[in-house]
Amino acid sequence: GEDVEQSLFLSVREGDSSVINCTYTDSSSTYLYWYKQEPGAGLQLLTYIFSNMDMKQDQRLTVLLNKKDKHLSLRIADTQTGDSAIYFCAESGSSYKLIFGSGTRLLVRP
Amino acid sequence: DTAVSQTPKYLVTQMGNDKSIKCEQNLGHDTMYWYKQDSKKFLKIMFSYNNKELIINETVPNRFSPKSPDKAHLNLHINSLELGDSAVYFCASSQQSSGRETQYFGPGTRLLVL
C-alpha cells in the first residue's frame, strides 16, 4: 500500500539550515509535495517536485529527490523563527489522491 | 478574496447531534476534497468530488455524507456525532482529479464533540 513516513520533530537554531526528510513507498508517484502548517492554520503549499527531477530550488527552499531510494528532503536555508511549523510531505500516487506523511514539527530556536 | 473558505471555523457540539460544515472555492477548480486531521496531526483524505460527482470515498462511516450542489461547493454533513469525530476538517480543491494537480487547502473547521 501507499505509505509516507517522516521524522516527527526537528529543532534548529535560527540562521542554521534545516533538513526535513521523507520516505515514500509508491513508485508510481508523479508529484511529491511539501506543505507547511502553522499553528491553528490550514495547509500552505510550499513547493513540489515532478518525479523525473532530482532537485528543485525556490529561494531558501531546496527539494532533493532520490527516486531510487524513494527519499525526498526539504532544505530550508537560513532558517527563521517564522519557519517554525509542521511540514508535511505528500505524494500523488496511482490512486488519484494525496497521501500525507505524519508531519515534521520544526522548532526554530532564537 | 479567499481561495478556499470553510464555515464554521470552530464547532463545539454534543454527542449525538447532527452538524454540517461548508466549503466554497472561487478558483474555478473542478475537484474538491475533504480531509480529516486528528489530534496527532495525521491527515487523511475522506472524500473527493469532481464536477459534483463522488470519485473518492475512503472507509468513512456512513454517518458522514458529503454533498456537492455545484462544483464550487462541497459540504459535509455528519449525523449522530461521536467523541471520535473531534478533529480538524480541511477542505481542499484542485483543477482536476488526477491527483497530480496542486491542492489548495481551506483554513480548517475545528470540531469538538463533547
Side-chain angles (χ1 to χ4, degrees):
Chain A
E2 301 153 325
D3 195 20
V4 179
E5 292 192 357
Q6 300 177 238
S7 52
L8 290 180
F9 188 74
L10 175 65
S11 177
V12 300
R13 195 164 289 175
E14 190 175 14
D16 288 349
S17 291
S18 308
V19 179
I20 302 171
N21 294 302
C22 170
T23 57
Y24 60 98
T25 56
D26 189 348
S27 57
S28 66
S29 291
T30 308
Y31 284 97
L32 295 129
Y33 299 86
W34 284 105
Y35 281 86
K36 176 183 180 182
Q37 185 179 29
E38 295 182 6
L43 275 76
Q44 171 197 353
L45 177 69
L46 281 180
T47 187
Y48 63 91
I49 189 167
F50 189 52
S51 59
N52 68 355
M53 296 168 67
D54 298 325
M55 186 182 91
K56 181 179 180 181
Q57 187 151 3
D58 183 1
Q59 299 181 335
R60 292 191 297 122
L61 305 178
T62 303
V63 179
L64 294 177
L65 175 60
N66 181 329
K67 198 172 179 183
K68 175 175 164 291
D69 294 339
K70 297 179 192 166
H71 183 266
L72 182 74
S73 67
L74 174 70
R75 179 177 181 269
I76 306 172
D78 187 25
T79 314
Q80 303 298 306
T81 53
D83 295 325
S84 292
I86 302 176
Y87 290 80
F88 290 93
C89 167
E91 63 160 347
S92 64
S94 56
S95 53
Y96 308 133
K97 60 188 179 186
L98 282 184
I99 307 297
F100 283 86
S102 54
T104 299
R105 199 177 293 264
L106 174 65
L107 175 66
V108 182
R109 308 185 308 274
Chain B
D1 58 346
T2 306
V4 183
S5 59
Q6 295 179 227
T7 53
K9 189 172 181 181
Y10 299 96
L11 184 54
V12 181
T13 188
Q14 299 283 339
M15 216 165 48
N17 284 349
D18 302 337
K19 290 292 178 185
S20 291
I21 48 181
K22 297 186 176 183
C23 178
E24 176 180 1
Q25 54 95 3
N26 62 7
L27 297 166
H29 287 167
D30 289 336
T31 308
M32 296 183 73
Y33 311 80
W34 277 112
Y35 287 86
K36 179 181 179 181
Q37 186 176 44
D38 63 22
S39 58
K40 295 183 180 177
K41 303 297 183 184
F42 188 67
L43 196 67
K44 190 167 183 191
I45 191 164
M46 300 172 70
F47 300 103
S48 174
Y49 270 74
N50 183 56
N51 268 321
K52 304 192 295 175
E53 192 176 322
L54 182 67
I55 55 170
I56 294 175
N57 184 353
E58 293 294 288
T59 31
V60 177
N62 57 15
R63 297 182 295 104
F64 290 79
S65 50
K67 189 169 282 189
S68 182
D70 55 64
K71 72 174 193 177
H73 296 84
L74 181 62
N75 304 323
L76 184 65
H77 187 75
I78 316 171
N79 288 325
S80 304
L81 278 154
E82 299 178 358
L83 296 177
D85 297 332
S86 295
V88 182
Y89 292 84
F90 287 102
C91 176
S93 73
S94 65
Q95 184 62 48
Q96 291 175 2
S97 59
S98 71
R100 301 184 184 102
E101 294 82 28
T102 301
Q103 293 185 22
Y104 295 86
F105 282 76
T109 295
R110 283 142 189 85
L111 172 65
L112 177 60
V113 183
L114 302 173

